[in-house]
């Protein structure tokens, strides 16, 4: 489900270097393997092992440079937020997929727009305006660094043709140096991603990028499994299994009726608060969503529910994403945000609604939405005709089409988190961060209020429409920027919401009115994965690998889904092969029946989520977990 690495020009140019390896001659590397080989080469130039973490902005910047990127400070800040504590190798690979190396042709095209004399040069004053006011804005210091390059600047002019050549050459040299360093180390040479292991186990192969439990990345799994008709994978043919454990569960049709969610009798008398949010499917398969902070003033019985938000206005035709599973993990904040205690999650169900009822003491709680990823995944159907977004009347005036206005109205409904029919600055900034990566500051918001319809200093639905119309006019009717916004919000070219799932959270308390606020948007890393692991360890069945008491597979069976977690108590990393081929009427969050995961020492990780393909039929979960020698 990840984007193709073949589009990564700087990485694909390194094929010749890799093909010299004796093992790659025997088993030619795929584009995906080349991508990860380059990722690891860059990572291991900065770190001794790919199990080490990036723990600072400086380390991230250095690793990206060795990968042939030249990130701006804004790019670094996008991935290293105030909440970031560390990034792992898998996160690093995700960043490289998103931050494609700029080609020479793209650079030349951008600079040529300011070359009024068509002589290959740009005045420093024009260059400053271009780089600090448009696109991904650079800082004054970053622009000065470019202007001070002696080889490409003279007489107040910037020679962009020389600069583009220097830029691309420098990036290629960085990447070539990292690969050469990896080739020199014969131990790492034997550890090529996806190759056969032929030799004693004590070679201790270098870590393969760990498939993140929050990411449905088919390409990671393809490295371990053969997608052809044969059952044998590279992993199975090249390595032996030390030991295995298996789990079998037979689940009845409509088994969710066993965990029926019921409302408390006196619910109508309780105080209620509501908030909306959305799961967004990223290009690499990662799912991110809003995270919330909730305050309970006094000890109360609390009833919490989460369900997909139905936006359809047509009776009898519900929104297609209503089948996406949702859950909400509730964690109590103790002293600091970093110290969160898992309280519960919404495991009871009534149709598409998942909920929990229980007593909560006074304090601050974090609400973290979750979906397994089994039913929210990348769209594969082709779109034959692109929807029209704007049109001009006979006078030449620009208008939004009826279909686009309807879509914008739905988007407004999703980003209006408190449901009051207006957009506050905080709500609008979630939208801006999602679609452009930037926030709207107070000054820009004041300008927005002056030019578009507002109420109580908040943007109305019509004002939101007019804002998008202004953007279309600014581009003289060119819809490309509008499509960027739509794709970011999960819409395809037919204006269908296919890669997002809006949801709504309701919280009732019998003694006080709860308060809830969306704080940020995050994926399944960090606190959510910890919460899932802890809940499975607390509630699931555990099986120890025979002869390896420090390696434990935990499986939690819910009426609606099954989640497995692998716990590695040993001092060494382990690789576990997972085989779901004998399961019936099942889908899993990783998208393949056979795959493998690497578990770091002294850690736990979510292995997979499994759900029925058809809830109206019986489904059988049969999974074998094998330790690879």
């Amino acid at each position: 489900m990840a984007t193709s690495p073949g589009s990564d020009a700087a990485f694909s140019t390194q094929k010749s270097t890799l093909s010299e390896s004796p093992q790659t001659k025997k088993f030619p590397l795929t584009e995906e393997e080349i991508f990860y080989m380059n990722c690891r080469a860059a990572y291991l130039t900065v770190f001794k092992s790919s199990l080490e973490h990036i723990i600072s902005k400086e380390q991230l910047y250095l690793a990206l440079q060795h990968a042939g990127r030249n990130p701006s400070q804004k790019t670094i800040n996008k991935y290293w937020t105030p909440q970031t504590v560390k990034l792992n190798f898998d996160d690093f690979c995700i960043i490289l997929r998103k931050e494609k190396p700029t080609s020479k042709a793209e650079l030349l095209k951008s600079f040529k727009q300011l070359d009024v004399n068509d002589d290959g040069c740009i005045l420093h004053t024009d260059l400053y305006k271009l780089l600090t006011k448009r696109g991904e804005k650079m800082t004054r210091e970053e622009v000065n660094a470019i202007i001070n390059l002696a080889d490409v600047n003279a007489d107040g002019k910037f020679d962009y043709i020389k600069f583009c050549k220097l830029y691309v050459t420098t990036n290629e040299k960085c990447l070539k140096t990292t690969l050469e360093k990896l080739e020199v180390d014969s131990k790492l040479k034997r550890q090529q991603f996806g190759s056969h292991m032929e030799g004693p186990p004590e070679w201790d192969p270098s870590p393969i990028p760990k498939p993140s439990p929050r990411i449905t990345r088919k390409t990671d799994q393809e490295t371990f499994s053969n997608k052809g008709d044969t059952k044998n994978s590279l992993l199975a043919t090249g390595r032996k299994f030390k030991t295995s454990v298996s789990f079998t569960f037979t689940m009845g049709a409509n088994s969710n009726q066993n965990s029926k969610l019921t409302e408390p009798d006196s619910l109508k008398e309780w105080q209620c608060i509501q908030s909306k949010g959305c799961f967004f499917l990223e290009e690499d398969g990662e799912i991110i969503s809003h995270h919330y902070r909730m305050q309970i003033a006094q000890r109360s019985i609390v009833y919490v529910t989460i369900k997909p938000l139905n936006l359809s206005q047509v009776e009898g035709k519900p929104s297609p994403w209503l089948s996406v599973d949702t859950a909400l993990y509730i964690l109590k904040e103790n002293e600091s945000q970093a110290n969160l205690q898992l309280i519960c999650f919404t495991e009871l169900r009534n149709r598409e609604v998942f909920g929990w009822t229980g007593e909560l003491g006074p304090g601050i709680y974090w609400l973290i939405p979750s979906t397994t990823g089994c039913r929210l995944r990348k769209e594969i159907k082709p779109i034959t005709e692109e929807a029209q977004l704007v049109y001009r009347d006979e006078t030449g005036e620009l208008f939004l089409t009826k279909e686009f206005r309807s879509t914008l109205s739905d988007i407004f409904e999703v980003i209006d988190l408190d449901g009051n029919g207006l957009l506050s600055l905080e709500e609008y900034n979630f939208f801006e961060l999602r679609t452009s990566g930037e926030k709207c500051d107070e000054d820009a918001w004041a300008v927005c209020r002056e030019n578009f319809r507002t109420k109580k200093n908040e943007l109305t639905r019509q004002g939101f429409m007019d804002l998008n119309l202004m953007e279309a006019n600014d581009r003289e009717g060119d819809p490309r920027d509008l499509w960027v916004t739509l794709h970011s919000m999960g819409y395809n070219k037919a204006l269908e919401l296919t890669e997002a799932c809006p949801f709504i959270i309701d919280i009732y308390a019998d003694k006080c009115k709860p308060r809830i606020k969306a704080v940020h948007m995050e994926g399944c890393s960090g606190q959510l994965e910890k919460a899932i692991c802890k809940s499975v360890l607390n509630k699931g069945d555990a099986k120890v690998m025979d002869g390896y008491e420090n390696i434990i597979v935990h499986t939690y069976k819910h009426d609606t889904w099954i989640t497995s977690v692998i716990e590695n108590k040993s001092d060494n990393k382990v690789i576990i092969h997972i085989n779901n081929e004998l399961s019936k009427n099942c889908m899993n969050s990783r998208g393949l029946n056979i795959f493998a995961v690497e578990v770091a020492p002294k850690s736990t990780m979510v292995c997979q989520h499994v759900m029925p393909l058809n809830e109206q039929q019986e489904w059988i979960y049969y999974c074998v977990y094998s330790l690879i020698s």
Side-chain angles (χ1 to χ4, degrees):
M1 297 178 71
T3 54
S4 170
S7 61
D8 197 329
F11 277 4
S12 61
T13 58
Q14 306 301 325
K15 288 182 185 178
S16 58
T17 304
L18 293 171
S19 63
E20 295 171 2
S21 166
Q23 293 197 13
T24 53
K25 286 180 181 178
K26 189 174 180 181
F27 303 104
L29 292 178
T30 66
E31 293 287 337
E32 185 68 14
E33 290 166 344
I34 291 169
F35 172 77
Y36 278 113
M37 193 67 182
N38 283 277
C39 288
R40 197 169 68 232
Y43 206 81
L44 294 179
T45 303
V46 181
F47 304 99
K48 292 180 180 179
S49 164
S50 54
L51 284 179
E52 290 188 36
H53 290 91
I54 299 171
I55 59 173
S56 69
K57 286 184 178 182
E58 292 72 24
Q59 287 183 343
L60 176 60
Y61 183 84
L62 188 59
L64 289 174
Q65 278 195 321
H66 282 292
R69 307 308 197 258
N70 190 21
S72 67
Q73 189 59 51
K74 181 184 173 184
T75 300
I76 297 296
N77 291 339
K78 181 165 66 173
Y79 299 107
W80 195 276
T81 68
Q83 290 78 34
T84 305
V85 177
K86 61 185 178 181
L87 299 171
N88 62 22
F89 176 58
D90 190 60
D91 297 322
F92 178 67
C93 294
I94 290 171
I95 293 171
L96 289 185
R97 286 192 186 282
K98 295 179 179 179
E99 301 301 326
K100 302 294 183 183
T102 307
S103 69
K104 184 177 179 180
E106 290 172 327
L107 281 173
L108 287 171
K109 182 179 178 181
S110 299
F111 284 125
K112 198 171 181 64
Q113 296 176 5
L114 288 184
D115 185 2
V116 292
N117 297 321
D118 199 22
D119 60 357
C121 293
I122 301 174
L123 291 173
H124 285 170
T125 52
D126 293 335
L127 179 67
Y128 184 83
K129 291 178 182 177
L130 169 70
L131 298 182
T132 61
K133 303 297 183 184
R134 293 168 58 180
E136 184 170 336
K137 303 175 185 65
M138 297 175 68
T139 65
R140 182 184 297 272
E141 292 74 17
E142 288 171 333
V143 178
N144 288 338
I146 294 174
I147 291 176
N148 290 333
L149 291 171
D151 293 342
V152 295
N153 290 278
D155 302 323
K157 292 183 178 181
F158 170 71
D159 189 328
Y160 64 85
I161 295 178
K162 285 184 179 180
F163 174 79
C164 291
K165 184 177 180 180
L166 176 65
Y167 176 89
V168 174
T169 302
T170 302
N171 280 354
E172 289 176 350
K173 283 182 179 179
C174 281
L175 187 54
K176 184 178 179 182
T177 300
T178 61
L179 287 169
E180 287 174 348
K181 182 176 180 181
L182 191 62
E183 285 289 312
V184 169
D185 190 329
S186 59
K187 178 184 175 183
L188 292 178
K189 187 176 180 181
R190 289 195 300 269
Q191 299 162 7
Q192 291 181 28
F193 183 82
S195 63
H196 284 280
M197 287 300 300
E198 299 183 5
E202 54 266 28
W203 278 4
D204 186 23
S206 177
I208 295 161
K210 179 180 71 174
S212 169
R214 69 182 187 276
I215 297 176
T216 310
R217 281 207 313 197
K218 189 182 296 181
T219 46
D220 282 356
Q221 300 150 18
E222 287 171 358
T223 310
F224 287 99
S225 59
N226 187 344
K227 288 190 68 178
D229 294 332
T230 62
K231 302 285 184 176
N232 297 327
S233 66
L234 282 177
L235 193 65
T237 56
R239 295 170 179 166
K240 296 180 180 179
F241 299 148
K242 287 184 175 181
T243 184
S244 299
V245 297
S246 64
F247 288 83
T248 305
F249 299 117
T250 299
M251 311 292 286
N254 293 316
S255 58
N256 60 281
Q257 293 179 359
N258 298 329
S259 59
K260 187 79 169 179
L261 174 68
T262 56
E263 294 182 355
D265 293 335
S266 57
L267 189 65
K268 292 181 180 179
E269 300 171 7
W270 295 14
Q271 298 187 69
C272 176
I273 191 73
Q274 187 179 82
S275 184
K276 288 179 280 188
C278 194
F279 296 110
F280 293 105
L281 188 59
E282 299 281 62
E283 287 297 320
D284 50 41
E286 179 183 11
I287 296 174
I288 67 171
S289 74
H290 297 81
H291 287 194
Y292 305 83
R293 216 159 170 258
M294 177 179 72
Q295 182 176 2
I296 299 292
Q298 67 183 95
R299 183 170 295 277
S300 303
I301 303 297
V302 176
Y303 175 65
V304 181
T305 64
I306 181 172
K307 65 177 181 179
L309 176 64
N310 186 16
L311 296 175
S312 175
Q313 303 298 319
V314 181
E315 187 175 349
K317 188 180 179 181
S319 300
W321 55 86
L322 293 188
S323 63
V324 173
D325 59 284
T326 59
L328 196 63
Y329 286 80
I330 302 176
L331 300 93
K332 190 170 193 299
E333 183 176 303
N334 295 318
E335 298 178 357
S336 70
Q337 179 182 335
N339 185 16
L340 300 181
Q341 173 193 357
L342 175 65
I343 301 298
C344 61
F345 71 98
T346 53
E347 57 184 325
L348 298 180
R349 179 186 180 188
N350 183 6
R351 297 186 178 180
E352 73 272 12
V353 183
F354 286 82
W356 174 86
T357 305
E359 187 177 59
L360 294 180
I364 302 296
Y365 296 83
W366 283 79
L367 306 182
I368 307 181
S370 174
T371 182
T372 62
C374 293
R375 291 181 176 151
L376 181 59
R377 53 178 69 228
K378 281 292 177 182
E379 183 184 46
I380 56 175
K381 72 172 185 178
I383 303 298
T384 56
E385 187 176 351
E386 180 179 304
Q388 185 179 355
L389 304 184
V390 296
Y391 70 96
R392 293 189 185 277
D393 66 6
E394 59 276 6
T395 66
E397 186 176 355
L398 198 67
F399 292 91
L400 306 179
T401 63
K402 180 180 178 181
E403 294 77 14
F404 185 36
R405 288 181 63 84
S406 176
T407 299
L408 287 175
S409 182
D410 284 347
I411 291 175
F412 184 93
E413 196 68 32
V414 172
I415 62 179
D416 175 21
L417 300 182
D418 60 11
N420 71 343
L422 302 167
L423 294 184
S424 65
L425 176 57
E426 285 104 348
E427 290 171 329
Y428 183 74
N429 270 336
F430 276 114
F431 170 75
E432 278 292 295
L433 285 169
R434 178 66 197 160
T435 57
S436 70
E438 297 180 343
K439 278 189 173 184
C440 175
D441 58 25
E442 292 287 352
D443 292 339
W445 187 244
V447 173
C448 184
R449 294 201 308 268
E450 290 174 6
N451 291 276
F452 303 103
R453 298 183 191 181
T454 59
K455 186 178 181 181
K456 299 178 182 178
N457 289 326
E458 296 187 334
L459 192 64
T460 65
R461 191 182 300 261
Q462 185 59 49
F464 182 66
M465 299 283 186
D466 294 339
L467 187 61
N468 282 273
L469 179 59
M470 183 200 72
E471 183 175 341
N473 275 302
D474 286 347
R475 300 293 183 268
E476 298 181 345
D478 186 338
R480 282 179 292 183
D481 283 356
L482 298 175
W483 277 118
V484 169
T485 297
L486 288 168
H487 290 323
S488 298
M489 294 300 294
Y491 286 86
N492 63 16
K493 289 290 187 178
L495 293 181
E496 299 167 331
L497 186 61
T498 56
E499 296 185 0
C501 173
F503 57 79
I504 187 163
I505 298 169
D506 287 289
I507 305 167
Y508 296 82
D510 69 339
K511 296 287 174 47
C512 65
K513 183 166 185 176
R515 296 172 59 189
I516 183 174
K517 181 179 181 181
V519 179
H520 53 247
M521 296 186 72
E522 270 190 20
C524 186
S525 61
Q527 292 293 350
L528 178 56
E529 184 178 358
K530 289 179 184 177
I532 295 173
C533 287
K534 188 163 185 179
S535 67
V536 172
L537 265 61
N538 288 341
K539 293 174 173 286
D541 297 330
K543 288 190 178 181
V544 177
M545 289 278 188
D546 189 25
Y548 296 86
E549 61 182 16
N550 287 327
I551 304 170
I552 308 164
V553 180
H554 301 264
T555 300
Y556 170 66
K557 179 183 64 133
H558 185 271
D559 296 325
T560 305
W561 74 87
I562 293 170
T563 298
S564 68
V565 165
I566 299 175
E567 182 179 13
N568 178 15
K569 295 182 178 180
S570 73
D571 295 324
N572 302 303
K573 67 179 183 294
V574 295
I575 298 177
I576 307 295
H577 180 272
I578 294 93
N579 189 327
N580 294 298
E581 285 187 307
L582 296 181
S583 294
K584 303 295 183 184
N585 187 30
C586 290
M587 64 172 74
N588 69 59
S589 55
R590 293 190 176 270
L592 285 180
N593 285 330
I594 300 175
F595 58 94
V597 295
E598 182 180 275
V599 190
K602 305 289 186 184
S603 70
T604 57
M605 68 169 291
V606 177
C607 177
Q608 65 175 344
H609 303 283
V610 180
M611 294 187 71
L613 278 167
N614 185 346
E615 285 191 324
Q616 307 306 314
Q617 299 175 3
E618 178 184 84
W619 52 295
I620 300 173
Y621 171 78
Y622 183 85
C623 184
V624 180
Y625 298 82
S626 303
L627 176 63
I628 296 172
S629 60

